[in-house]
Amino acid sequence: LPRAEGKGDWRPVGYPVFLALCRSLASDWLGARALCAVVQFSLIAFVLLIFQWLACSALRKSYWLFLIAIMLGAQPWTFEDCRNMLPDSLTASLTTLGILGLFGFVVKQGVIQNIFFFFSCLTLCATMFLRPEMIVMAPVLIGGALFLKQESRSILFRYSVYGAMLFFACLLLQVFYRNLSTGDLLPYGRFSLHKRGAHNWVNSWFSTEQNAYNRFLHGGKILNTSVDAFPKRAFADEFERIEIQKALDLARTKGVYDEQVDRLFQSVADKRLRDNFFVNAVLTRIWRTGMLWFNFERNNRLTMMLGPAIWTGKAVVYASYVMRISLFLLAGYALFSALRNFRNRTALWYHRLTALMFLCVLTRTLLIGMVLGWMIDRYALVAWPAMLWCAAAGMIDLAGSTGMEKTEKK
């Protein structure tokens, strides 16, 4: 795995185990990487095929099905990190499969609902072995499914106990592993962020993944940067510009980012918070939350392959912008339609899936953006399939009631 911009044993063991399994099935690491990419690509493709099948169940012989198929097949965002040996793609597919299982639990009755509930809870809880923040998302999604399930309180309480037992079993397994390896009783290790002062400074202005991380914080790029590389909005006055240049010069002279350099960055970050806390702390965090989804500076793999300098590359870039915004508008309409139908007690079966998928999008966005304050768009990948279903549901709602099933699927 690539070295993180920090230190600590906070990474779960699940994804390294997955990589080791791929390595055991391949002759070398090059073959293991290819196998890893194939597995991650296939899981995402399988999820999208399920989405199309569900859309066909909601719409009978409608031309909108072609538009949904084109949208699901042409969008590049869910496949962007399939070739990377990072846990985001695998976490995204497993999370979505878990949500689909919860949807089966919500709309089905009898023994099959128990099967759906058990395997979906187990799948969602297992994601905490891939990424640490999934320890929050799994219980939220399970709780959302129980809220949508139309059963008596006693039955829902029983399922709540079952879900809690599965969750704590996975949690105890994670704690047990770390206790054996480190002697610690916490589920995850502590994360000590390197370059904390520089991170706090770039978080105090309306930065982007490109100018904050890719061109500045990652690796040793901070040693070869000047204030001219940053936009004007990064500095409120000349004093801040001078102090940041002083920190950059000191890091370049020493050849290392040390505590003295860190204090200079932190002093400017503290000044900006004292001068205007609402703008430089609150609004900038909201901005970073939006950057999880609207990061237009980072082109997808297709545009990088074509090359943005040629006209075909530029056309793909602008087309991806239009497509991304269209998806968000369709997802917003799906949410509006679902809420209206729930309020009028006219919700169809797929509206319940839309509610679960939107819960995934909302939880992921607030957790990563507002709570943790991260803005790397790769962290939104877990909720990208859910966003795609919401967009597909928006198309289904736009198609009207013609050809739709009027009764709940049991």
Side-chain angles (χ1 to χ4, degrees):
L1 290 174
R3 190 182 73 84
E5 286 296 319
K7 56 185 177 180
D9 59 342
W10 56 277
R11 292 184 183 273
V13 71
Y15 197 71
V17 170
F18 168 71
L19 294 179
L21 178 62
C22 292
R23 177 64 182 87
S24 67
L25 298 175
S27 58
D28 51 29
W29 269 112
L30 185 62
R33 178 166 188 152
L35 179 60
C36 173
V38 169
V39 171
Q40 294 181 156
F41 179 91
S42 300
L43 285 174
I44 289 293
F46 178 64
V47 166
L48 298 183
L49 287 175
I50 295 177
F51 286 172
Q52 184 65 24
W53 175 72
L54 291 171
C56 291
S57 299
L59 291 174
R60 303 288 185 180
K61 299 180 181 180
S62 172
Y63 289 110
W64 285 88
L65 291 173
F66 292 100
L67 294 178
I68 295 175
I70 292 173
M71 177 197 71
L72 295 176
Q75 59 78 31
W77 298 287
T78 56
F79 295 104
E80 276 192 322
D81 288 294
C82 288
R83 296 182 66 240
N84 291 342
M85 298 174 74
L86 292 169
D88 304 274
S89 180
L90 185 61
T91 308
S93 57
L94 292 182
T95 300
T96 311
L97 289 173
I99 296 174
L100 290 168
L102 289 178
F103 167 67
F105 161 72
V106 169
V107 299
K108 296 295 183 180
Q109 297 292 338
V111 177
I112 192 171
Q113 71 176 351
N114 300 328
I115 298 175
F116 273 123
F117 185 76
F118 174 80
F119 284 105
S120 59
C121 287
L122 190 61
T123 301
L124 287 171
C125 292
T127 59
M128 73 172 69
F129 300 120
L130 299 175
R131 291 201 58 89
E133 73 276 0
M134 296 305 295
I135 197 173
V136 176
M137 290 195 63
V140 170
L141 294 172
I142 295 171
L146 292 172
F147 178 80
L148 291 173
K149 183 69 173 175
Q150 297 177 345
E151 290 286 358
S152 64
R153 292 184 178 179
S154 60
I155 295 178
L156 292 180
F157 176 77
R158 185 180 66 191
Y159 281 113
S160 299
V161 173
Y162 294 157
M165 290 174 62
L166 287 171
F167 174 78
F168 283 109
C170 292
L171 179 61
L172 289 175
L173 182 60
Q174 174 67 18
V175 173
F176 178 71
Y177 165 78
R178 291 201 67 255
N179 181 255
L180 288 178
S181 58
T182 66
D184 198 348
L185 288 176
L186 295 174
Y188 304 111
R190 296 172 179 84
F191 176 71
S192 178
L193 185 65
H194 188 48
K195 306 172 187 172
R196 182 172 293 277
H199 275 268
N200 291 337
W201 173 65
V202 298
N203 288 340
S204 68
W205 48 277
F206 296 99
S207 56
T208 65
E209 181 179 346
Q210 188 74 357
N211 57 33
Y213 291 93
N214 297 341
R215 297 176 181 172
F216 178 54
L217 291 174
H218 284 176
K221 296 178 181 179
I222 195 171
L223 304 178
N224 300 297
T225 306
S226 68
V227 292
D228 296 332
F230 300 101
K232 293 181 179 179
R233 63 180 182 273
F235 311 100
D237 49 44
E238 189 62 26
F239 173 78
E240 293 183 6
R241 179 181 289 272
I242 293 174
E243 289 297 301
I244 295 300
Q245 186 63 61
K246 186 187 302 182
L248 295 172
D249 292 340
L250 183 61
R252 186 182 303 108
T253 301
K254 290 188 171 185
V256 65
Y257 185 99
D258 60 8
E259 293 185 4
Q260 186 178 2
V261 177
D262 190 74
R263 283 195 296 269
L264 287 174
F265 279 108
Q266 187 62 53
S267 65
V268 177
D270 293 339
K271 171 188 176 298
R272 292 179 61 84
L273 296 187
R274 289 194 304 268
D275 292 346
N276 197 330
F277 182 84
F278 178 73
V279 172
N280 297 330
V282 179
L283 290 186
T284 53
R285 183 165 289 244
I286 296 174
W287 164 270
R288 293 197 303 276
T289 302
M291 287 297 294
L292 292 171
W293 298 101
F294 293 95
N295 186 6
F296 292 132
E297 284 189 341
R298 181 177 180 268
N299 297 330
N300 59 62
R301 302 292 185 268
L302 179 61
T303 60
M304 293 171 64
M305 179 183 69
L306 292 175
I310 59 177
W311 72 270
T312 54
K314 291 182 179 180
V316 172
V317 169
Y318 292 125
S320 68
Y321 294 168
V322 173
M323 185 177 185
R324 188 186 297 218
I325 294 174
S326 300
L327 291 178
F328 296 155
L329 291 176
L330 286 168
Y333 179 75
L335 174 63
F336 167 77
S337 178
L339 291 176
R340 181 186 59 191
N341 282 279
F342 278 119
R343 184 187 58 197
N344 297 335
R345 300 181 182 276
T346 58
L348 299 175
W349 58 271
Y350 71 90
H351 287 129
R352 287 173 170 76
L353 179 58
T354 302
L356 286 174
M357 292 294 185
F358 179 77
L359 179 62
C360 175
V361 172
L362 180 64
T363 304
R364 187 70 182 179
T365 303
L366 294 179
L367 176 63
I368 298 299
M370 295 302 294
V371 178
L372 298 178
W374 301 340
M375 65 174 168
I376 299 177
D377 64 352
R378 174 169 58 87
Y379 296 144
L381 179 59
V382 171
W384 253 110
M387 178 68 78
L388 285 180
W389 169 257
C390 291
M395 290 189 182
I396 295 173
D397 288 321
L398 284 173
S401 59
T402 303
M404 291 188 186
E405 294 181 344
K406 290 295 187 178
T407 57
E408 298 287 334
K409 278 193 172 182
K410 300 296 183 181

